[in-house]
Amino acid sequence: MTTKFFGEPVRRREDARLIIGQGRYLDDIGSGAYAAAFVRSPYAHARVLDIDVSAAMDVEGLLAIYTYEDLTGPLAEPLPVLIPHPQLTAPRTGYPLVKDVAQHVGEPIVMVVATDRYIAEDAAGLIEVSYEELPVVVGVDAAEAAEHTVHDDVPDNIAARHHQETGDVEAALAASAHTLSFTQYFERSASMPMEGKGVHARWDDADSSLRVYSSTQASTSVRAAIAAKLELSMEKVEVIAPDVGGGFGVKIVHPWPEELLVPMAARRLGHEVKWTEDRREHFISSAHERQQRQEITVGYDDDGRITALDVLVWHDNGAYTPYGIIVPINTATQLCGPYDIPVYRARVNSVYTNTVIVTPYRGAGRPQGTFAMERTMDRIAQALGIDRALVRERNLIQPDQFPYDWGLTFQDGRPLIYDSGDYPAMMAKLKVLVDWDGFAERRAAAEARGKLLGIGMAPYVEGTGPGPYEGAHVQVLGSGKVLVSTGLTSQGQGHETVFAQLAAAELGVPMEDVVVTTGDTRRFGYAVGTFASRAAVVSGNAVALAARGVKEKALRIAAEVLEADPADLEIDEGLVQVKGTPGASIPLRTVAVLSNPLRYAFDEAARQATQFSGPGDDSKPPVAVGDAPGLEHTDYYSPLRSTFASGAHAVVVEIDPATWEIQIEQYAVVHDCGTIINPMIVEGQVHGGVAQGVGGALYERMAYDRDGQLTNASFMDFLMPYASEVPDVDIDHQSTPSPLNELGIKGAGEAGVIPGSAAIASAIEDAVGRRIAAMPISPTELYDLVRSDAERVTNSSPHDSGAMA
Amino acid sequence: MKPAPFGYADPTSVDEALDVLTSEGEGAKVLAGGQSLLPLLSMRLAAPSTLVDINRVPGLDQISAGPDGVRVGALVRHAQLLASSEAAGVQPLLGRATANVAHPAIRNRGTTVGSIAHADPSGEMTAVLALTDGSVTVATPEGRETIGWGDFFLGPLETSVHGPAVVLDAFFPALPERSGTAFAEIARRKGDYAVCGAGVVVTLDADRRVSSARAAYLSVGLVPEVHDLTDAVVGQPVDTADWTAAGELARGLVDPDGDLHASADYRRLLVATLTARTLADAGAEAARRTA
């Protein structure tokens, strides 16, 4: 498919609105709403003994106080395990309000509703909760030791043992010429959208219906959850995701307690109720990700070709497992990246700790997997004295090996089969982009300035666009306006732009005629959600199919009017015309009018479609059997399985040995997401991902102390990089279209974040000559490292290891 | 993150402000730029009974630079001081340090005197007040009083001023002749509170030999610290002075704490590095001014 829209760097239509403050975010809605605030557990693990609300009752403006005792029916049951899995043998979830034992600092215990948020917080501050403190488990090591338990009935703290293998790894390791074993750590970070969560609910008593706005990545599923938990029929609940100020994964989790409690309160109080999460609440009561301990054993031959890889991961899932084991599965199945590894075993033990829950954050287990794989590659190169790029190249899956079937099961329950790619070409592009082979000169020049320069690289493969499905509705109005709606939500990715590009391209209309609505259950009821780099792949194809359906109908109707064969018609700039016959045409908007035979004319356009407007065929009904009025079509795309995007990053860091500050001198990205709808948006996604990758590698961590207190729960001490810390990014694209969908699209949303920590660790290690076995790393930690007895590391340059053995 | 209830007064004179502070007692707090106070209120880490907003008091927004030094009024914003070439001409440290204060939005609102009165040992201007041997003028119902920096700063976020009082201005003495200054800091992110910062003054004799080298540090102690490093470099020709030795001397003089962002050892390393670097710059400037 080639038109002037598809593949063009069309400027984002949503930006003007969002940038000048005309976005409509959750907190912009319901200025007259009552406000909710929560009393949250100040302890990481404590039994609630008593809740004394008496002092709060006198606060003027207080409307309601709810505790677990006030919850009824399904609301009083544990929150759902959203994604069950046979290997998740001990799933646990909390209650909307703590029933008995709080399992992490921040878990909600009491909900307060008042006339405004100030008063709600005043009242919350007067509620006295007495606790019995219980022993606290923080970190994977403590969880594994199981000296104390998070949940009484899970004595080993293990929620799931995820296990996949492609062969007899122990035999393959025993037969390997060389083996290496090592352990490394990866720290917690979080999605940290600029807008936290938020819920606004309005109950219509006369209609017994509920309208909920939520800052969510999955409005259709929030709707289903609210209906189930509040015992309402689905048609009485509508859920709308307004403008959402970032998600990055944390808002795919649902229902959050507040998504149930705010509607509950609105219904009980007969008044709008709103809760807007503040930053501290977001730190201590939403979700984090990424902490793992990785025990890796690799077997390889004299040339550095891997013969076997065995990985045991201890994965911190926090206090509960509402989102199942998606993150562990991603680590296990995406770890091998672009490499052809003959025998592979992954075991992930997902463990409970008394900390905020762990659910997918952009990358979702892949940054950790890539860290495991790429640090392994560096160690093999160092052990053999071979250039790090060369070791990687020797292990790459070759273009003729696609489809490459791993014999593993991916996170969507479907076989893990790489559909397409060209990893050798990608690596070749990367080496040129970063001048890998010319690095020795740059290093020498930096040394002359008293600086340590290092280079690192890390490729990855990312499964994107999982099913089960997405749908789209496309409708042409009599005004010529084209409405596109998806149940899938947006959090700033640019869906308003790319879905309009797709619809405009398919239909042959100007982009400015297309209006896109996402995540509004009033407009489209079926959807899965925005996660796993799937919107462009799954919804994108659905939009194209729906637009195509509209086009077919338009051509059929126009063909009757123009007395032509539909096959001879085309639509260009909103005009249906006979190919090669100027003048024989009808505007698409007129076709839309004609598509809906009317009895009543209410304007000039409608007059054309009334019963007496022209000669009809009296032998046929006005609407043919099997047809429907209106120029609209709904269609769905359900992918056979995920499609696999890929990329490779290279980083040059400069380190000042007088301060151990780490400066990124160059950040190079080669990126392959198949066919690109809008290169500007793809590059924006890469930039944002790189920013989060840099944050995770050099700045961010969740600093839990031994008592389970998050000691840096503010933007003063949780160091998200500013623009001043994010490097410029050199990008080169490669396109290996996916054979799995007609548009050839692979996902692009998460890619930029995945290899950041792996590549940056490699570069720092290269600069300072000391083993990096944990990320992130800060200047003070680097100073400690170079003064420690950490293993000394020497990398070979391309020029002294280029010859094949 | 909403403040607890508080009263609000917006006096239009210093006397009126003092009246309100007197009648409200210990629970009243002076509000100037609000860049530190308002977040504390929102996080309910502070809950004053009344905020006494001095932004409508006339005459407090003046910078006056004279031969003796620079007087900065209580409502002078960081950005205003940063832009003042008169102030920089008399005491170059003012502009150099202010450029390191947070980000432009905060500099537009936050006040220099407010940050001194807040007495945060990671504040740039507390260090500069100490390094220049400056003072503050405090208005109380009893009258006006000048307090030297050493008597003013008692501990983190703690000053010697108690009871009803408004800090009216801060006075930064002029840079002595044949002297140069420099200021540098290292923060985890640009504009963050410094992990460590250093301001220095180097003074030469008529033969361009070092006669004095003094440094003040941010984020290394409970109050601003000034250390005299002259012994390491005294009498050395400025062009070949051993600034590294001065840095090592400083490293041994400080006794910082560790925190989430920097260990004590790392802070000592930064003290040594920043001291040597800033002294070299200040020495070069002093040499230019000793033509």
Side-chain angles (χ1 to χ4, degrees), chain B residues 16-64:
Chain B
E16 194 189 333
L18 289 170
D19 285 347
V20 179
L21 287 164
T22 303
S23 63
E24 290 293 326
E26 282 296 302
K29 269 283 205 190
V30 173
L31 172 68
Q35 297 304 292
S36 297
L37 181 57
L38 294 189
L40 291 173
L41 258 59
S42 288
M43 290 189 270
R44 299 200 177 209
L45 295 172
S49 60
T50 298
L51 287 186
V52 181
D53 181 349
I54 60 169
N55 281 282
R56 286 172 187 79
V57 176
L60 298 183
D61 58 352
Q62 300 299 309
I63 299 171
S64 55

Side-chain angles (χ1 to χ4, degrees), chain B residues 167-215:
Chain B
V167 181
L168 293 182
D169 60 51
F171 180 73
F172 301 89
L175 183 64
E177 62 177 3
R178 296 195 303 273
S179 299
T181 71
F183 190 98
E185 63 181 45
I186 286 178
R188 290 288 281 117
R189 300 173 297 186
K190 188 169 175 52
D192 279 358
Y193 282 113
V195 168
C196 179
V200 296
V201 179
V202 171
T203 303
L204 307 182
D205 62 20
D207 296 329
R208 293 163 54 102
R209 291 173 188 276
V210 179
S211 67
S212 163
R214 296 165 66 251

Side-chain angles (χ1 to χ4, degrees), chain A residues 203 373 382 724:
Chain A
W203 174 255
M373 185 73 251
Q382 289 152 359
S724 46

Side-chain angles (χ1 to χ4, degrees), chain A residues 401-635:
Chain A
Q401 289 178 275
F402 293 99
Y404 186 92
D405 188 346
W406 279 94
L408 300 170
T409 302
F410 192 40
Q411 58 115 322
D412 54 2
R414 319 281 290 191
L416 184 79
I417 302 172
Y418 288 2
D419 52 331
S420 63
D422 187 345
Y423 307 144
M426 181 174 82
M427 291 292 279
K429 276 178 182 253
L430 182 72
K431 285 169 69 180
V432 170
L433 193 59
V434 76
D435 191 17
W436 181 269
D437 291 342
F439 184 69
E441 283 172 39
R442 282 173 79 178
R443 193 201 302 268
E447 262 173 26
R449 292 184 285 113
K451 298 292 167 63
L452 305 172
L453 216 60
I455 192 168
M457 64 159 57
Y460 65 92
V461 172
E462 180 200 359
T464 69
Y469 69 86
E470 287 296 339
H473 175 251
V474 174
Q475 179 176 21
V476 182
L477 300 182
S479 63
K481 191 194 247 191
V482 179
L483 306 181
V484 174
S485 59
T486 65
L488 175 133
T489 60
S490 294
Q491 301 86 47
Q493 294 91 338
H495 298 157
E496 282 177 48
T497 305
V498 293
F499 293 165
Q501 282 180 262
L502 290 169
E506 279 288 344
L507 264 180
V509 299
M511 247 191 87
E512 50 269 28
D513 287 352
V514 183
V515 178
V516 176
T517 303
T518 61
D520 183 339
T521 66
R522 297 171 301 180
R523 294 286 302 280
F524 204 93
Y526 291 93
V528 182
T530 302
F531 59 93
S533 304
R534 65 190 297 279
V537 182
V538 193
S539 286
N541 277 284
V543 168
L545 289 170
R548 195 170 305 165
V550 169
K551 182 177 182 179
E552 279 169 17
K553 182 167 185 179
L555 296 187
R556 181 157 48 79
I557 295 167
E560 285 182 34
V561 178
L562 298 171
E563 297 177 338
D565 186 328
D568 294 333
L569 298 181
E570 62 181 8
I571 310 178
D572 186 40
E573 288 291 304
L575 202 64
V576 188
Q577 58 198 25
V578 182
K579 290 176 199 164
T581 311
S585 65
I586 177 173
L588 187 62
R589 64 173 184 276
T590 307
V591 177
V593 169
L594 297 177
S595 72
N596 181 20
L598 295 172
R599 183 167 180 83
Y600 307 112
F602 39 82
D603 62 13
E604 195 51 43
R607 192 198 308 276
Q608 299 174 54
T610 56
Q611 291 156 306
F612 302 101
S613 63
D617 183 345
D618 290 347
S619 69
K620 293 178 185 168
V623 175
V625 174
D627 208 347
L631 188 50
E632 62 183 319
H633 188 70
T634 297
D635 216 329

Side-chain angles (χ1 to χ4, degrees), chain A residues 24 72 85 399 589 760:
Chain A
R24 184 167 178 256
T72 56
H85 190 283
R589 64 173 184 276
I760 291 170

Side-chain angles (χ1 to χ4, degrees), chain A residues 117-118 121-122 278 280 656 658-659 698-699 703 712 715 717 719-720 722 724-725 778-780 783 787, chain B residues 1-5 44 103 186-190 192-193 251 260-263 265-266 269-270 273 277:
Chain A
R117 178 67 177 254
Y118 294 82
E121 291 191 18
D122 293 346
D278 67 34
R280 179 166 169 78
D656 181 343
T659 64
L698 297 176
Y699 295 98
N712 63 338
F715 279 165
D717 284 320
L719 307 179
M720 272 202 306
Y722 302 134
S724 46
E725 281 65 50
S778 64
T780 188
Y783 180 51
R787 293 182 301 156
Chain B
M1 283 203 189
K2 304 290 184 196
R44 299 200 177 209
H103 303 99
I186 286 178
R188 290 288 281 117
R189 300 173 297 186
K190 188 169 175 52
D192 279 358
Y193 282 113
R251 186 183 198 148
L260 194 59
H261 305 302
S263 68
D265 258 6
Y266 180 61
L269 170 76
L270 296 184
T273 299
R277 287 180 181 174

